[in-house]
Amino acid sequence: MKRSRIGDLPMRVIYRILAVGVALVLAAVAAVVGFVSSGSSDQPGGGKTGQIAAPSAAPPSPGPPSPEPSASVSASASEQASPSESPAETAAPSPSPEGWEPAPDRSAVIAALADPRVPELPRDKRLGRLPGKAYKSKRRIEDDRSGVSLIRFGKPWKVFGASPFSTKQVLPKVKGIAHRAMLVSSPVPILVQRKAKDTALLAARWTLNHHPKGSRIGWVASQPIKDGWLLAYRVKYKIKKKARSSMAAVAVVEAPGAKPAMLFVTIPDTQGKRWRDINTAVSSLRLK
């Protein structure tokens, strides 16, 4: 009679059945793993095929981009930048053959205004007609060193030794007055500022060296002129304990590629009838 239940089978048959079942399960698992592995190799970066293709789509080595592309981008950006976006050194005027260049800041102006002899500049105000008769002349003096020309006055003015200036004209000396009326031109003898107005201020302060000791400035006019700035002022001082004064003016004009030129004129009150010559002198200043 045949055995119909598993429990009736011999043990060795049961072991064989279990072994076959385990083998079938292992085969199925292997097949699934192989399928998944072959499918993932078709994805970017997966399997051997992905590892070979990756370098052609990415930089040869990890890390930041090489400097060459950055440099080319910077150069392109600087070429397209507006003048106001350019560095200060490229926006500033190029140094002249003499090697000058504008001061980087206004520290010299701040120092000048701290000088008790030099008050704050007034609001812009034009120079009016000063006392005296207007002098007319077509003769001119050429100042090649400064790149300007100006009127050449006739008598009582006369051309005098220019040093340390480029050109110099003077009025006769007044008895008992050491300070002499003069009209001079030269490159500005002070630190050039970025604004002509500031340069004129420093030049006006410097001219106190050519007035009596203890002189102080009182502003009369401050106005723009062609290519520059004009400051007119009364210089007050004492001679033998007596209060005296001079009328003076400084005009600064900027010439392309050259250091700014300065015209300086001063006339003491003892020759006040010649003060109108100051109007004539500053209005005659021209770039060559």
Side-chain angles (χ1 to χ4, degrees), residues 1 93 177 249:
M1 183 175 177
I177 304 293

Side-chain angles (χ1 to χ4, degrees), residues 26-41:
L26 292 175
V29 171
V32 171
V33 172
F35 175 78
V36 172
S37 177
S38 63
S40 64
S41 67

Side-chain angles (χ1 to χ4, degrees), residues 199-257:
T199 302
L201 171 64
L202 297 186
R205 182 196 186 202
W206 179 87
T207 65
L208 291 176
N209 296 325
H210 294 273
H211 289 94
K213 185 177 179 180
S215 295
R216 289 174 175 262
I217 286 176
W219 300 116
V220 173
S222 175
Q223 69 180 75
I225 57 175
K226 186 177 181 181
D227 303 308
W229 201 269
L230 167 68
L231 292 176
Y233 46 101
R234 193 82 172 259
V235 183
K236 297 181 180 181
Y237 45 86
K238 288 184 177 181
I239 297 179
K240 296 180 179 180
K241 297 183 179 182
K242 185 177 181 180
R244 306 304 298 253
S245 68
S246 293
M247 183 62 68
V250 160
V252 171
V253 293
E254 298 176 332

Side-chain angles (χ1 to χ4, degrees), residues 6 11 24 33 65-66 126 149 181 194 204 234 236 238 251:
I6 295 178
M11 291 302 297
L24 291 174
V33 172
S66 62
R126 299 193 65 82
S149 67
R194 294 186 179 277
R234 193 82 172 259
K236 297 181 180 181
K238 288 184 177 181

Side-chain angles (χ1 to χ4, degrees), residues 2-9:
K2 295 182 178 180
R3 297 175 181 176
S4 59
R5 294 184 301 176
I6 295 178
D8 296 333
L9 294 176

